Amino acid sequence: MRHLLLPLVTPRRRLHPPSLLSLHLRTAHYKAQKPQPAPPPPTPPKPPKRSATFSLHNQTWEDHYSWMSNLNDKVAMRHMDVYMEQEEKYTEAVMSDTLNLQAKLQHEMGPRIQFPLSSIPCRWGPWLYYRRVEEGKAYPVLCRRLVSKNEEFISNKSPSAGFDFTSGRRIEETLLDYNKEAERFGGYAYEELSEVSPDHRYLAYTMYDKDNDYFKLSVRDLNFGSICNSPQADRVSGLAWAMDGKALLYVVTDDKQRPYKLYCNILGTNKDVLIYEETEGNIHINIRHTKDFRFITVNTFSVAYSKVFLINAADPFSGLTLVWECGTQAHCIVEHHKGYLYLFTDAPREGQLVNDHYLMRTAVDSSSGPKTWENVLIDDPELIIEDVDFCDSYLVLLVREGRNYKLCSVDLPLPCGKGAVQLKELNPRYLSLPNHVCQISPGPNYDYSSSTMRFTISSPVMPDAVVDYDLSSGTWNIVQQQNLLHERSRVLYGSSSSVRNPKMISFSTNELDSDHDNLWNSLSEYFACEQYDVPSHDGVLVSLTVVYSRNKVKKAQNPGLLHGHGAYGELLDKRWRSELKSLLDRGWVIAYADVRGGGGWGKKWHQDGKCTKKCNSISDYISCAKFLIEREIVQQDKLAGWGYSAGGFLVASAINRSPHLFRAAVLEVPFLDPRNTLLNPVIPLTAYDYEEFGYPDDVEDFDAIQRYSPYDNIQKGVPYPAVLVSSSFKTRFGVWEAAKWVARVREDTIYDPKRPILLNLSTDIVEENRYLQCKESAFETAFLLKVMMDS
């Protein structure tokens, strides 16, 4: 458009240069321009304050921002809308100078964030089940096709959309279109449970009804594609098929989301029969079917005890048989194999608490009382059983020796009459794994008669590999894994891969060992992974994992990002995340602190970081932060923290204690106001939440909550790091928690424009949208790069 600003007639060119006198006269009147002052930094918004006083256990406190959670107060919600709009504009203003950087990061991250066009087909009996996305649709469709006619099935592109142009026939059955389900549920489709009947005729599933805030049960007849008139139920939390698919058992919850009633419906009868009910308000019910569909297990549990009942799947109205109980809450899974029940649990043994899971078994008989269980394996403190899985001919054990994970299989049935034995006496066959494995997740493995079992293998320096292990031959096949070395995917089933005619690659465990990382698309040649044992405040060693680019590492000169979670006994997610490659390529160190309260190191590790001992989690995280700086792995004043949900609580608490340690932090949908949330929950909380963080009615728990609460322990009059708090209107912890914490931090601490406190809000679920996920990751990364450069 510049030509439109030029004069219509171009002046003639001068034939002679201007005289020296004319030049002198011009320069005599020239005045140098004064440099313009930089525009002032944007001013953060200040929400209104309303006095509100609360009292408990002879203690009184004020909360000027409690109005933000008064969802029934229309005036308060109008103020909240205005305040949220102000926060949005402030965040946009602060981050306006990073728009080009955000665009560049999105361009980098977009190809790496994998959203396959089709899920990996799960083989069960004669069928392959999978989900695929149709062009222009917001949600996937659930499909299946016969194995016998589709052994060469690669993806939904071949044949296109399940249509064989050679024969002119459709070879794919569409079982459920979630786009149509979204029309049923107000434009939103979120499925919690989905179970196909063992005869492959019916699909039972639950969809979230956001208007009523519960999950609604529907059963679809796959032969006709229609929804059955019965059963249809609200507030459903558990499903299990019986009578070879002719009957469905389901659990419903009360208005506090406690599963408490078990019903059975024989399809076609339009009659729901109540089988079991827990009237006590602190007891929960959970159900599942054994993998051979012979039994339904009913787990009832509270803080005080755990019980397992058995229902004969062939006759679900024959009653419940108690097969196991213990006097404390415990994790327990019961499986059946050819006349024996197997129990995998972490319950106390002989009155003594145990730290890890163990495996027991007992014969199935007609007695009605608890069974006599025997140990399968002799205890080995060097060998921890993390998980087990069964098929008709093999038992697979996921074990850990120190930090090293292993997968092994043993033949079934196990020898009888020998009692507990050493694992080596069962002649285990160890399955091939890459180096630096941080997590192994069992696949669906629905097909009980198949000797092939699927697992997802994860590593901090390798994209997740979905692997099929043939237990009878010892071969293994990587059926899906992203190949970042070529910015594409190596995949067998359903992906947007640019690879043509990909083939399954088989390897034998007898020929290869775990040193062949190149077979796993490992990135260890480019990114190093190191492990450290960091002493905490009380001498307990905390595992710290550090990942960095081999070409970018410089002593005491690298910025760093420290991840943490430490709650609910859950594993810290140390899997490779493609979006973090943008930081690694820019010389960042990515670290993971396995603090107490999390999982992976036994039951005691979780117990030592919850409730009244929650402060151990915070101290562990701070110890790891100091270790990174003192060992010069990360440059001083260049460390950032990152936490999701309860991990956001952890990082925010660490900032309160040691704000000088951190230059920045990213808190995603964090739990920041435990005292008020646990005392007056706006959103219903579960027993797990109170068990994890404490019961405010208990004086000791209440005192502990006050000591660690991020919202109530903000230091006054000191500089805080730059913090980006991301929240959503569709998250479990309300957006008001983030808004309250942001407002109070700005009010109490020293304001520094180079260390902004930002609130980033979303109205959508980011994890379900590739564009939003890429956009949010680029935004977070741009924030971290910006505040580090501004220091």
Side-chain angles (χ1 to χ4, degrees), residues 521-581:
N521 282 343
S522 174
L523 303 173
S524 56
E525 180 181 351
Y526 308 96
F527 302 106
C529 180
E530 298 177 353
Q531 300 276 355
Y532 298 92
D533 288 324
V534 179
S536 190
H537 68 290
D538 54 359
V540 172
L541 297 180
V542 180
S543 178
L544 177 66
T545 303
V546 176
V547 179
Y548 58 86
S549 172
R550 296 185 184 275
N551 296 328
K552 300 287 186 178
V553 63
K554 296 180 181 178
K555 190 174 183 180
Q557 296 184 39
N558 295 78
L561 185 64
L562 180 60
H563 292 246
H565 184 67
Y568 300 104
E570 295 174 350
L571 284 174
L572 175 64
D573 188 0
K574 294 180 285 188
R575 297 174 300 166
W576 171 264
R577 287 171 49 195
S578 295
E579 60 269 28
L580 291 179
K581 186 173 183 290

Side-chain angles (χ1 to χ4, degrees), residues 711 714-718 743-750:
Y711 182 63
I714 297 167
Q715 290 195 40
K716 295 185 178 182
V718 300
R744 182 171 279 187
V745 168
R746 290 185 187 143
E747 177 185 353
D748 290 349
T749 63
I750 296 176

Side-chain angles (χ1 to χ4, degrees), residues 72-139:
N72 296 322
D73 187 334
K74 295 182 179 180
V75 175
M77 290 302 98
R78 282 198 294 268
H79 283 297
M80 192 65 170
D81 289 340
V82 172
Y83 174 48
M84 292 296 97
E85 186 175 352
Q86 293 172 347
E87 286 289 354
E88 183 179 6
K89 291 180 178 179
Y90 175 64
T91 299
E92 289 178 354
V94 171
M95 295 293 291
S96 61
D97 59 346
T98 68
L99 293 178
N100 289 337
L101 176 59
Q102 291 181 52
K104 181 179 180 181
L105 290 168
Q106 286 190 61
H107 182 72
E108 290 178 14
M109 295 176 179
R112 301 193 206 118
I113 298 179
Q114 213 178 10
F115 275 76
L117 298 178
S118 172
S119 65
I120 307 173
C122 171
R123 181 170 181 168
W124 181 18
W127 295 100
L128 290 168
Y129 290 89
Y130 57 97
R131 286 177 168 88
R132 64 174 177 82
V133 178
E134 295 181 333
E135 186 175 356
K137 299 293 183 67
Y139 297 99

Side-chain angles (χ1 to χ4, degrees), residues 432 452 466-471 473-480 490 492-493 502-513 516 519-520:
S432 183
T452 298
V466 181
V467 186
D468 280 351
Y469 291 97
D470 188 335
L471 306 179
S473 65
T475 58
W476 51 283
N477 310 306
I478 299 177
V479 295
Q480 187 180 67
R490 180 175 74 182
L492 173 64
Y493 299 127
K503 296 181 179 179
M504 181 179 290
I505 305 173
S506 297
F507 305 104
S508 170
T509 55
N510 297 324
E511 299 172 358
L512 302 173
D513 57 37
H516 293 74
L519 296 174
W520 294 88

Side-chain angles (χ1 to χ4, degrees), residues 285-316:
I285 299 176
N286 181 42
I287 63 170
R288 63 180 295 272
H289 62 78
T290 57
K291 294 189 71 173
D292 61 359
F293 286 97
R294 291 283 303 277
F295 298 98
I296 308 295
T297 62
V298 181
N299 292 41
T300 64
F301 57 92
S302 69
V303 178
Y305 73 86
S306 299
K307 294 181 180 180
V308 179
F309 297 88
L310 216 60
I311 296 177
N312 184 354
D315 185 8

